[in-house]
Amino acid sequence: MNQLPNRPLHITKFMKNLFAQANGSPEYFVLIFILVFGILLTLFIPIGAGTDEETHIGRIWEMSSAEFIPNKYLSAGPNYPCAFFETSYYNDPFYTPISWKKWVSQFKIHIDWSSFCDSPTRSRYFPTMYIFQAFIMGVVGRLLDFPVALIYYLLRFSYVLIYAALGFFTVRKVPFGKWLFVILLLSPTSLFQASTINIDSINNGVSFAFIAWILFLISSKSGGFKKSEWLITLVLSFFITTIKINALPLLLLLLVVPREKFGSKKWLSLFIGLLILFIAVVSLGWNFLASSDQLFTKTEETYDTLSQIRNIFRNPAHFINSYIYVIKNHFFDFLRDWIGVTGYYSWDLPISLYIIYGITLLMTLFIETNKGVLNKLQKTIILVAFLGSVFSTILIFYLSYNNPNELEIPGIYGRYFVYLMPLFLILLIPKKEMKVVKAAWIKAGITITNCLLVISLFLFYHVDCGNSFLRFAKC
């Protein structure tokens, strides 16, 4: 009992030590930054304003009923609470700013158990992408009947926590390019995704962690895997097969790990066998099971997926020309959206945000050194993994949405390329440190960038004519 009054002092001391470590350690800087700015964005972004939040909420709601096959529960009748629609920001066609009074009033809305809607979900990802959130939904949504707004914020915060943990692991383990990974983890697009209900933050976080871990294994001077290293490699490889299917080319990075790291032929064979099982069952098997209805669906504009695959071999010129067309005509759109974007692309972020972030990213190349860790063969494999990831990302949309009579491939956005950019940028890190940039400049650059993001989103979503303030235009 005598220790109770001292607890606030212990907490204060812990926080001071944490911020002191953040001042010198990139991994603690990224951890605190994600948590602080993630919480701000979680609260500032209106309910449902994140891209596709409603379809992800639908999947989480469905899994909270212990049904893991997408749409099996939702398609059995009106089983989706209409309250999630009614509180959504995009239910208002005029995008009316959310005042303090309106924000507080949302906490009075609960799920109406007599009002359910028909709402199938487009989300068909592996269940691990939602399992933690489904547990939260089951407890606070079904069991405790929390207000809809509070459910939203708890789910969002769970994604912030996961992303923060993966970001900390990434920067902690990567042997070089720490500040580069910090800047990539803290891009406005990455933080926006991490602060809303979607799986992109997990997709990006797992991809970054896997890339960082592979680089760690390459730089490690130990002869073979320790048991913990073997297990971490296997677990991260498994999670790569659970995220978006276009991330599979990242597994090519396993080829850059020296052969002796895997130990005896027995352990290597076991690893390869399990990896093949993960790819065949978890990635390809699940995606076929969850999307089998789409594979054989034809619309007025597109063929079904299997027909699209046949057409690639029948008319490879159209396939190649579509790729060239998309990259040529949308490269700068992809680049802009990769840096910073709002939900559903409804608001344009200030140009200064992109300029400051771009300069900050370039500065990291003047403070980093790759320490000669990568040889030419390893760099080639990393480049192939990057190009394969770009190819597979575009391919998915080609198979799903391309009109065989047109070159345009709809549905591709810059945010889909966040996960693969470290592969390209680590190849630009020089062998020798130039020492012309200080870490404090990088910290300042990324802080200013995301302060601009937070201020912009607050003006967009909560202030009348807020968008006009940023453009110095009339309301």
Side-chain angles (χ1 to χ4, degrees), residues 40 43 48 89-90 109 130-131 133 144 175-177 187 195 256 269 285 287-288 298 321 328 397 415 436 441 457:
L40 287 175
L43 297 175
Y89 176 74
Y90 285 99
I109 301 174
Y130 300 104
I131 193 69
Q133 288 71 31
L144 301 179
F176 64 89
S187 76
S195 305
V256 307
S269 299
N287 280 281
F288 180 82
K298 179 180 179 179
N321 289 333
K328 179 181 178 181
F397 289 92
R415 58 192 170 93
V436 296
W441 299 358
L457 295 182

Side-chain angles (χ1 to χ4, degrees), residues 68-81:
F68 295 96
I69 304 298
N71 290 316
K72 190 173 182 180
Y73 169 77
L74 292 177
S75 63
N79 286 322
Y80 183 70

Side-chain angles (χ1 to χ4, degrees), residues 89-118:
Y89 176 74
Y90 285 99
N91 192 45
D92 177 6
F94 302 105
Y95 296 168
T96 305
I98 308 296
S99 64
W100 170 256
K101 183 178 180 181
K102 184 176 180 180
W103 188 80
V104 171
S105 68
Q106 290 179 332
F107 287 87
K108 300 177 182 179
I109 301 174
H110 293 256
I111 294 174
D112 183 349
W113 298 97
S114 63
S115 178
F116 284 79
C117 299
D118 282 312

Side-chain angles (χ1 to χ4, degrees), residues 3 26 36 222 273 350 372 374 433:
Q3 296 179 351
V36 172
S222 60
L374 301 173
E433 186 177 343

Side-chain angles (χ1 to χ4, degrees), residues 324-336:
I324 296 173
Y325 178 87
V326 166
I327 294 174
K328 179 181 178 181
N329 289 276
H330 299 293
F331 176 80
F332 289 104
D333 294 331
F334 295 158
L335 182 62
R336 177 198 62 199

